[in-house]
Amino acid sequence: MTTTAEQPPLEVPDAPVRAHRSARPLGIGLVVFASGIVVGWSVAQFLGATDPIGAVGSRVIDHVPAAVKDWAIRTFGTSDKVALEVGIVVLLLLVSFGVGVAARRRPPVAQGIVVAMGVVGMLSAKGTDGIGAYVPALVGTVVSLLALWFVTTPPVTRGRRSAPDLVPGLQRRDFMIRASAVGAATATVGAIGYGVRSGRVTQLNEAAAKISLPTPQSAAPVVGADAAIGHGVEPFITPNDSFYRIDTALSVPRIDLADWRLRIDGMVDHPLTLTFDQLLDLGVVERIITMCCVSNEVGGKLIGNARWLGVPLTKVLEKVGVQRGATQVASESDDGWTCGFPTSVALDGRDALIAVGMNGEPLPPEHGFPVRLVVPGLYGYVSSTKWLTRINLTTMEDFEGYWIPRGWSQLGPVKTQSRIDVPRTGTSVSAGRQVIAGVAWAQHRGISKVEARVDDGDWMEATLSTDVTDDAWRQWVVEWDAVPGDHKIYVRATDSTGVTQPSEISAPDPDGATGWHSIRVSVS
Ligand SMILES: Nc1nc2c(c(=O)[nH]1)N[C@H]1C(S)=C(S)[C@@H](COP(=O)(O)O)O[C@H]1N2
Ligand SMILES: [Mo]
């Protein structure tokens, strides 16, 4: 049988009533939290401050045990932030339910939970925007408390009593009316906040797109048609919109160029602060550099190759005068992320760049607008700070970047790797002449040889795309006479120092994955 609120169940009271009970506390809790969160978020937009949910998310990202974060990147890849957001929503639903239950029985407990959540929001935003950082969560908490009071306080004059009370003395109908009113007010404030935010993002994006970057004093190497192997291998240059993205920022920092400064200090003779124009005045060069993430699994896609326009890091280091004993070039981003690498690497002649352009455009916001570091031959986690605001000369002992206390190696030279893009694993191909093709990389050493092997056959040496630069990957292709059956195909690369990739697969943690990539195909 079915029951409605107007027809209290008589025959089987237990089950349906419980269904009502569980729906209603959730309703109360949702109204209470949604109003506070949405209003808090909107206030943050008005103030240009960190929003409480974003702040909590960032704290979770920064304080979650390294193993959990590694697992999240492994499991969800570049969708790890979506996973976190889903997690936050699920958690809020649970807490909402708790508040709803408490509101019915012990109102002070419900108020206590709301205040506790507000305090978490305030503490999470601490240190981001001065005193203003606390305002959004504070306003949100007050709104949630008012909403709690409003939707759970019975009206003075009692109406007809036909349905079980939601909270002692409060009927479902009263609750629905009040919840709708709170909902409408919340939606209005939220829409205004959203409008403010979209307006600001559009304005910053337009300003960013408008900046004209100078012509490089030294151009990137020319990429001939022979650098393109084709056959469905990933292109030599990765377009900006398909370049992998890895960072700890829950929402992409949006930086106003007029406010941006780069500070170079620490163990230097003449600390320096540069505006964007002053940085560009030092002169830019363009270089093709492949960047990859240390979290990339064997065969993974956390790698991309771009033409980077930037000021040579050495120019800036010469200007400030690096002091003897300053063994580490540490750097810091607008969102508080840090990393560092040996000064000897910065000064060994490689094209480390303070980059402002990517593939002929200003850096996209996701990839560090307005300025980031790119260092050939080092994994991103030790070198390629996006939204760069500070370069700090220090020692290897005195400073550890973001990922180091989380269990990753302090040194992060890129390991030689190779990947099979064609055929795709798990697919079937027809017998006869087929190609096996992919990419291989050993940034700053260069790739000298790639070989592929079918089952336990002989290694077949691949044809390589033109050697454009040691700092970029190379595409490779092997022709293969495919015979019917199920096959396993392996690849291995040799770098220009003559070292061939080891076969054993090891996990990315702590300093980059090793091992031969392999795929399975069936030939018919
Ligand atoms: N500010 C900031 N910069 C950062 C990171 C970050 O989390 N925050 N992640 C680093 C890591 S681990 C990598 S692999 C590269 C990725 O750069 P991309 O997102 O442009 O591909 O950025 C690096 N720079
Ligand atoms: Mo990374």
Side-chain angles (χ1 to χ4, degrees):
M1 66 166 266
T2 56
T3 56
T4 65
E6 282 69 41
Q7 292 170 312
L10 299 173
E11 290 96 328
V12 270
D14 269 10
V17 164
R18 208 173 285 134
H20 282 304
R21 279 199 185 132
S22 57
R24 288 169 180 176
L26 188 61
I28 295 176
L30 282 180
V31 170
V32 168
F33 276 115
S35 57
I37 285 168
V38 169
V39 172
W41 181 85
S42 294
V43 169
Q45 306 314 312
F46 304 147
L47 299 178
T50 314
D51 78 278
I53 290 288
V56 172
S58 298
R59 294 282 168 168
V60 171
I61 291 179
D62 289 351
H63 294 287
V64 84
V68 175
K69 185 146 48 177
D70 297 344
W71 167 83
I73 292 182
R74 229 176 15 252
T75 312
F76 305 109
T78 44
S79 307
D80 56 339
K81 293 193 187 78
V82 179
L84 174 64
E85 280 156 11
V86 170
I88 288 177
V89 169
V90 170
L91 200 72
L92 280 174
L93 285 177
L94 288 174
V95 178
S96 295
F97 184 70
V99 164
V101 169
R104 295 157 55 99
R105 311 220 172 108
R106 296 211 174 85
V109 172
Q111 291 156 1
I113 297 176
V114 170
V115 169
M117 298 288 282
V119 169
V120 168
M122 281 186 263
L123 291 181
S124 298
K126 189 179 166 193
T128 51
D129 304 283
I131 279 289
Y134 302 106
V135 177
L138 190 65
V139 175
T141 308
V142 172
V143 167
S144 281
L145 287 174
L146 287 174
L148 176 63
W149 167 79
F150 186 61
V151 300
T152 58
T153 306
V156 184
T157 45
R158 306 296 328 281
R160 78 204 154 97
R161 242 192 107 91
S162 58
D165 288 352
L166 193 55
V167 166
L170 180 77
Q171 289 174 34
R172 185 178 172 77
R173 200 169 152 270
D174 299 324
F175 169 74
M176 291 309 286
I177 292 170
R178 293 177 179 203
S180 308
V182 174
T186 299
T188 307
V189 176
I192 298 172
Y194 185 79
V196 168
R197 184 190 167 77
S198 317
R200 188 169 48 236
V201 168
T202 310
Q203 191 192 334
L204 288 176
N205 285 353
E206 280 168 1
K210 254 194 263 153
I211 64 170
S212 60
L213 296 173
T215 322
Q217 296 171 337
S218 144
V222 177
V223 181
D226 50 354
I229 288 278
H231 301 293
V233 172
E234 199 170 321
F236 178 69
I237 296 286
T238 315
N240 290 356
D241 56 9
S242 49
F243 207 96
Y244 80 97
R245 175 186 166 203
I246 289 285
D247 53 59
T248 59
L250 198 50
S251 69
V252 176
R254 304 276 168 180
I255 295 174
D256 191 338
L257 211 48
D259 298 338
W260 180 87
R261 296 287 183 281
L262 175 60
R263 172 96 186 139
I264 305 111
D265 59 7
M267 297 170 70
V268 300
D269 293 334
H270 319 284
L272 187 66
T273 302
L274 298 169
T275 64
F276 191 67
D277 287 337
Q278 287 168 337
L279 174 67
L280 295 184
D281 284 345
L282 297 176
V284 295
V285 300
E286 192 170 45
R287 296 288 180 264
I288 293 174
I289 300 166
T290 298
M291 195 166 65
C292 61
C293 184
V294 69
S295 301
N296 200 33
E297 303 271 351
V298 172
K301 298 240 165 186
L302 301 179
I303 178 165
N305 185 40
R307 278 167 35 227
W308 304 96
L309 181 78
V311 176
L313 176 61
T314 49
K315 267 206 180 158
V316 173
L317 294 184
E318 276 160 24
K319 224 174 145 61
V320 295
V322 175
Q323 289 173 356
R324 193 196 304 269
T327 50
Q328 181 168 208
V329 179
S331 56
E332 200 175 305
S333 70
D334 183 68
D335 62 328
W337 188 83
T338 57
C339 74
F341 53 90
T343 309
S344 56
V345 169
L347 300 178
D348 73 359
R350 73 184 76 198
D351 289 315
L353 298 181
I354 303 176
V356 295
M358 184 176 183
N359 292 328
E361 290 168 21
L363 292 176
E366 296 75 19
H367 297 290
F369 180 86
V371 176
R372 77 174 304 168
L373 284 172
V374 179
V375 183
L378 297 185
Y379 287 121
Y381 83 105
V382 289
S383 65
S384 63
T385 307
K386 305 193 272 191
W387 314 293
L388 179 70
T389 53
R390 181 177 178 216
I391 296 173
N392 170 30
L393 274 293
T394 176
T395 65
M396 292 303 278
E397 296 74 30
D398 284 345
F399 179 78
E400 288 188 332
Y402 183 91
W403 283 107
I404 315 311
R406 292 169 171 83
W408 294 80
S409 166
Q410 201 179 18
L411 299 177
V414 172
K415 293 183 178 173
T416 304
Q417 269 298 341
S418 48
R419 190 181 76 201
I420 304 169
D421 286 350
V422 185
R424 295 254 308 262
T425 193
T427 56
S428 46
V429 299
S430 44
R433 182 139 291 189
Q434 291 290 351
V435 299
I436 307 167
V439 285
W441 59 91
Q443 288 94 301
H444 204 57
R445 295 184 300 282
I447 289 289
S448 65
K449 183 164 76 173
V450 176
E451 299 157 289
R453 193 185 84 190
V454 179
D455 302 322
D456 45 15
D458 293 332
W459 286 103
M460 301 176 281
E461 190 165 342
T463 304
L464 298 178
S465 62
T466 315
D467 191 3
V468 176
T469 157
D470 283 348
D471 294 339
W473 60 12
R474 291 178 81 174
Q475 298 171 313
W476 59 269
V477 61
V478 165
E479 286 206 356
W480 169 49
D481 196 14
V483 292
D486 290 339
H487 301 287
K488 193 166 179 188
I489 305 177
Y490 303 82
V491 65
R492 69 177 188 191
T494 302
D495 73 12
S496 300
T497 69
V499 178
T500 301
Q501 280 179 251
S503 63
E504 314 83 68
I505 300 266
S506 73
D509 182 6
D511 62 356
T514 62
W516 298 341
H517 184 214
S518 63
I519 60 154
R520 287 180 185 283
V521 285
S522 67
V523 177
S524 51

